[in-house]
Amino acid sequence: MNQYGEQRVKAIRKGQQFRRHDLEKEMPFLKDPLKLANYILGLLNKDEPKKALEVIRLASKKTACTVSWNHLVDYELSKDRVTAALKLYNEMKKRAQPPDSHTYTILLRGLASHQDYSQTLSRALSVYNSMFAPNSPVKPSITHSNAVLKVCGRRGDIDALYGIAAKLPTHGVGAPDNLTFTTILNAVRHAAWTFNGSKIGETPAETTERRQRAVNEGRRMWDDIIGRWRKGNIWIDEALVCAMGRLQLMGRHPTNLDAVLSLVEQTMAIPRMVPRLNDPERSSVAPVPSRLFL
């Protein structure tokens, strides 16, 4: 490095030291965690994450500022900087700022929306499993479970998805809700539909059979959903019904298509406009075009 370069580096460092000294003067006015969080949010809205980080580091010495750290982690994820967000998550723990429930929600949801990041699944599972540790200040809720299930689904890891779902309690706090089943049904459909069986020599008939197995799996799950619904343990919304309907349409068999009408009638009280497939009166109805079964 030449003399000009060294002078430039010294000038930059001097400016940074001055800014840090300037920030230290502001600390007495930012002792309240709410005021600090609002100040950090204002800096991030002006795209000044470096200054925000310095302020949080200074405040972390004497103030509980988990909310401010959450704002910064959320900001980095919104800018598609997943690695930086994870580093901030680790740093806040090192600075004795324990993550709260919202911290884990931000991280897991952020990882779910960045499925192109190569380590999304491993990082999400690591964060989620750490919540089960005896010394963890926060235990996982169904919100956290739903977020990590979405990560598994978008990465196409059905085994990991079922592994997490199997550990959920059947009732009470942390039990599956409508979003849980919606996520699982969408993941099963996506995995069965997007898998390229030709790479392993799968024939068209075998592809159809594999997709039908996914439909059958969804139907078994739907029986469980209806049982919970009738007991008042779960709420069935439009997204859940549509997820099951799309899964059945993937089968492309007349019984699957007909089952969609029964599904809507069962959950939304919208009567069928045609008799059921095996009903004798069905013969008077025009047949469904064969192109729908291709």
Side-chain angles (χ1 to χ4, degrees):
M1 183 182 295
N2 55 28
Q3 185 177 2
Y4 173 76
E6 292 177 353
Q7 292 176 351
R8 182 175 177 81
V9 170
K10 289 180 180 179
I12 293 174
R13 289 177 177 174
K14 184 177 179 180
Q16 290 175 344
Q17 291 173 355
F18 172 76
R19 288 196 297 270
R20 183 179 178 85
H21 178 69
D22 198 34
L23 292 177
E24 289 176 346
K25 293 182 179 180
E26 297 182 20
M27 287 298 102
F29 306 99
L30 297 174
K31 292 182 178 180
D32 181 63
L34 178 59
K35 290 183 178 180
L36 176 64
N38 290 335
Y39 179 72
I40 295 300
L41 200 56
L43 291 176
L44 296 177
N45 289 334
K46 294 185 291 185
D47 289 327
E48 297 185 44
K50 292 184 178 180
K51 183 177 180 180
L53 178 58
E54 286 300 322
V55 172
I56 295 174
R57 284 171 173 169
L58 289 172
S60 295
K61 297 178 181 179
K62 298 181 180 180
T63 306
C65 50
T66 299
V67 176
S68 298
W69 282 102
N70 289 348
H71 287 326
L72 193 53
V73 171
D74 193 24
Y75 174 85
E76 293 296 341
L77 288 169
S78 69
K79 299 298 181 180
D80 300 329
R81 295 193 285 261
V82 180
T83 303
L86 291 169
K87 287 182 179 180
L88 289 172
Y89 163 70
N90 290 323
E91 182 178 347
M92 70 181 289
K93 292 189 294 181
K94 292 178 181 178
R95 293 181 180 272
Q97 298 292 330
D100 59 10
S101 179
H102 197 49
T103 309
Y104 292 106
T105 302
I106 291 171
L107 266 178
L108 293 172
R109 286 181 176 173
L111 289 170
S113 62
H114 291 85
Q115 62 268 27
D116 294 334
Y117 177 64
S118 60
Q119 300 180 1
T120 296
L121 182 58
S122 61
R123 294 283 189 170
L125 291 175
S126 176
V127 171
Y128 181 71
N129 290 331
S130 69
M131 300 177 71
F132 290 94
N135 60 343
S136 175
V138 180
K139 299 304 178 183
S141 66
I142 192 59
T143 302
H144 304 121
S145 300
N146 288 340
V148 76
L149 285 173
K150 186 174 289 186
V151 176
C152 297
R154 292 188 173 181
R155 292 296 295 180
D157 195 328
I158 301 300
D159 292 336
L161 182 139
Y162 279 137
I164 293 170
K167 295 179 181 179
L168 298 178
T170 55
H171 60 275
V173 179
D177 59 8
N178 57 306
L179 183 56
T180 308
F181 288 109
T182 301
T183 303
I184 295 174
L185 290 172
N186 283 332
V188 171
R189 177 182 58 85
H190 184 265
W193 185 257
T194 59
F195 179 74
N196 188 358
S198 61
K199 292 183 177 180
I200 59 174
E202 188 178 67
T203 64
E206 290 172 338
T207 299
T208 301
E209 183 181 356
R210 173 172 52 79
R211 290 176 177 173
Q212 184 59 44
R213 287 198 299 269
V215 174
N216 295 338
E217 177 64 26
R219 286 180 176 175
R220 287 191 291 270
M221 195 182 307
W222 188 255
D223 290 338
D224 181 30
I225 294 171
I226 292 299
R228 294 169 184 263
W229 179 46
R230 288 173 176 167
K231 292 178 181 178
N233 295 330
I234 194 174
W235 175 47
I236 292 182
D237 61 356
E238 179 184 354
L240 180 54
V241 175
C242 290
M244 185 60 197
R246 285 191 294 266
L247 179 59
Q248 293 196 103
L249 287 174
M250 186 181 64
R252 297 301 179 91
H253 190 274
T255 56
N256 294 327
L257 302 181
D258 186 76
V260 175
L261 301 178
S262 299
L263 173 69
V264 175
E265 183 181 44
Q266 179 187 40
T267 57
M268 299 184 177
I270 300 176
R272 295 172 56 103
M273 301 304 293
V274 294
R276 296 181 184 276
L277 189 63
N278 297 326
D279 195 305
E281 297 181 4
R282 184 63 177 260
S283 59
S284 62
V285 181
V288 179
S290 59
R291 60 183 174 82
L292 293 179
F293 307 139
L294 298 178

